[in-house]
Amino acid sequence: MKQDLIAILDLGSEENSRLARGIRALGVYSEIYAHDITESELKAIANLKGIIINGGKNDVVDGLKIAAGDWVYDLGVPVLVIDHTRGKKAQDWDTIPECDDEMCEQLKPFIFDVCQAEANWNMKNFVADQVELLRQQIGDKKVLLALSGGVDSSVVAALLVKAIGDQLYCVHVNHGLMRKGESEMVVEVFRNQLSANLIYVDASERFLTKLEGVADPEQKRKIIGGEFIRVFEEEARKLDGIEFLGQGTIYPDIVESGTKTAKIVKSHHNVGGLPEDMQFELVEPLKYLFKDEVRACGVELGLPAEMVYRQPFPGPGLGVRCIGAITRDRLESLREADAILREEFANAGLDQKVWQYFAVIPDIKSTGVKDNARFMGWPVVLRAVNTIDAMNASIEEIEWPVLHKITNRILAEVDGVNRVLYDMTPKPPATIEWE
Ligand code: XMP
């Protein structure tokens, strides 16, 4: 790696990812490290230009007060302590009380004048570094990639095609939890337009059977993640000499799956769901990128805008939006309602404006009337959120006529539904997905 680096020592602040992102937005690479990183580990980081110790409000984890070691201040690298109230105060530097939107501006003098870091973090360098690293890691071996067609896996595919060409085997697993028309589109774009090696597997029945009666969200994720790997292993056995598995893991997946100080928010499909007997070595070239950086990487690689700016779709797919134990009829209604939402958002130009929008069907029924008779039906919940990095999100304020149109269409066209609701909750406290 050629770029300069600012290390953030994690004392549990929820602001750390925003801080890292903000520093990267200034053109300087930044990564978050556990607060108890050892002296030799920290010294081994190439081009370390500065250290930020960010305590935030959560310096007590599981009843223990945590702090960075005193040796950090004697490394000969400038140290900035955010929050006066703990630890030693760094030399020549004032305290920044809170992480806010002006933080980047406030950090500039520390990063550029005190640390003398160079703004040499950009996607061109990132892609060049990754292509080199991928070639070193993979050699003449073959890689199997889970290609969901979402932004992350598409960018990984493009990076790998650039690095290793036809040593890459993309596998698209239709787990029965895809959105309407999605698998067809993946085949069209990757097989026909990009000429990638693409294997299409329809495993819908297998997934839905495994998921029958399973209501616990973590359990559902683990089943879906686990089955995914098994399907890949079966495909790998049909191919000769596959040793690597490509994954679209990104930085928020890693941060949210639990650094030493952050509590587990959810075990993400790409991290926590892997079975222990996994046979592959992982290739995860996007694991230090935030979502907006992944898109920039896609642009750098020349992917079409429709693909790069497409809304994200979680690995477990509609499985985390068909709340509780998945049933085939409710899943089908969800797929239809989601397709209507997407179509009407596109008609209203909202697909260009809103970061992520989808339908959810909880596992409850409420009373309604149909043909003069009582009719117990599901509610469809619509959710539309905006975010930069998926760590914090606000809701989109949709015009009433658009909501009315979507509501009327869902009630008229989707089986089993008798109510439509709009989810007003930002993240936090809610996560973007319902499960
Ligand atoms: P949450 O619900 O954690 O979602 O606020 C943040 C973003 O991540 C997506 N997401 C996932 N993506 N595997 C994925 O690949 C997952 O298990 C998963 N869970 C959530 C979610 O759609 C949102 O964009």
Side-chain angles (χ1 to χ4, degrees), residues 221 256 266 268-270 314-316 355-356 427 431-433:
R221 271 167 199 276
E256 289 200 6
K266 286 176 187 179
H268 272 265
H269 171 59
N270 294 331
W355 193 81
Q356 196 173 20
K427 174 181 182 177
T431 50
I432 294 174
E433 302 290 348

Side-chain angles (χ1 to χ4, degrees), residues 108-388:
K108 269 186 182 171
F110 175 73
I111 289 166
F112 296 114
D113 303 338
V114 180
C115 300
Q116 302 269 306
E118 234 185 273
N120 54 8
W121 158 252
N122 60 48
M123 278 305 148
K124 206 177 167 64
N125 289 347
F126 176 82
V127 168
D129 276 348
Q130 285 305 320
V131 165
E132 204 176 298
L133 288 171
L134 287 168
R135 284 182 185 155
Q136 275 169 22
Q137 187 188 2
I138 297 159
D140 60 359
K141 304 290 192 325
K142 292 175 186 164
V143 180
L144 191 61
L145 174 72
L147 179 56
S148 68
V151 182
D152 303 344
S153 63
S154 301
V155 174
V156 175
L159 247 183
L160 283 166
V161 167
K162 189 176 171 89
I164 58 162
D166 61 9
Q167 287 162 252
L168 173 68
Y169 292 81
C170 300
V171 175
H172 177 67
V173 177
N174 181 352
H175 48 22
L177 304 165
M178 304 296 290
R179 288 170 294 192
K180 193 173 178 178
E182 200 161 42
S183 286
E184 293 81 348
M185 192 181 72
V186 168
V187 172
E188 165 59 26
V189 171
F190 285 93
R191 184 180 286 164
N192 302 344
Q193 295 177 21
L194 301 180
S195 308
N197 280 329
L198 174 68
I199 298 153
Y200 172 71
V201 190
D202 184 354
S204 314
E205 270 313 307
R206 177 173 167 167
F207 276 82
L208 295 182
T209 304
K210 276 245 160 186
L211 286 164
E212 252 163 43
V214 181
D216 178 65
E218 286 297 293
Q219 194 63 24
K220 284 165 70 178
R221 271 167 199 276
K222 293 228 154 101
I223 289 174
I224 298 166
E227 275 310 285
F228 241 100
I229 299 299
R230 289 196 188 87
V231 173
F232 286 140
E233 283 182 334
E234 286 170 20
E235 290 309 314
R237 258 178 249 126
K238 294 182 200 158
L239 300 162
D240 256 355
I242 298 276
E243 293 191 16
F244 293 90
L245 181 72
Q247 285 224 340
T249 312
I250 68 170
Y251 209 30
D253 298 340
I254 292 184
V255 175
E256 289 200 6
S257 287
T259 58
K260 281 185 188 164
T261 45
K263 286 228 164 72
I264 293 183
V265 177
K266 286 176 187 179
S267 81
H268 272 265
H269 171 59
N270 294 331
V271 180
L274 300 178
E276 286 175 7
D277 61 349
M278 202 183 75
Q279 300 289 311
F280 305 105
E281 188 178 325
L282 291 181
V283 177
E284 300 175 295
L286 308 180
K287 73 176 170 191
Y288 293 116
L289 297 189
F290 292 101
K291 198 85 193 187
D292 53 326
E293 295 170 335
V294 172
R295 292 185 210 277
C297 183
V299 170
E300 177 64 34
L301 288 161
L303 285 179
E306 311 89 84
M307 187 170 288
V308 169
Y309 291 101
R310 184 164 55 203
Q311 64 161 324
F313 188 59
L318 298 182
V320 293
R321 298 173 183 174
C322 191
I323 306 308
I326 298 167
T327 56
R328 283 157 215 250
D329 53 354
R330 192 156 51 93
L331 178 63
E332 230 21 76
S333 293
L334 173 62
R335 205 185 324 267
E336 287 304 318
D338 185 71
I340 291 169
L341 171 68
R342 287 193 289 142
E343 199 180 312
E344 292 304 331
F345 262 46
N347 288 340
L350 288 167
D351 58 335
Q352 305 295 315
K353 194 175 162 231
V354 182
W355 193 81
Q356 196 173 20
Y357 45 98
F358 53 87
V360 175
I361 303 192
D363 189 13
I364 51 168
K365 282 188 172 176
S366 69
T367 310
V369 263
K370 195 175 174 185
D371 304 327
N372 293 324
R374 189 178 146 93
F375 155 58
M376 301 301 288
W378 299 302
V380 167
V381 180
L382 308 176
R383 184 144 173 76
V385 296
N386 285 313
T387 177
I388 303 279

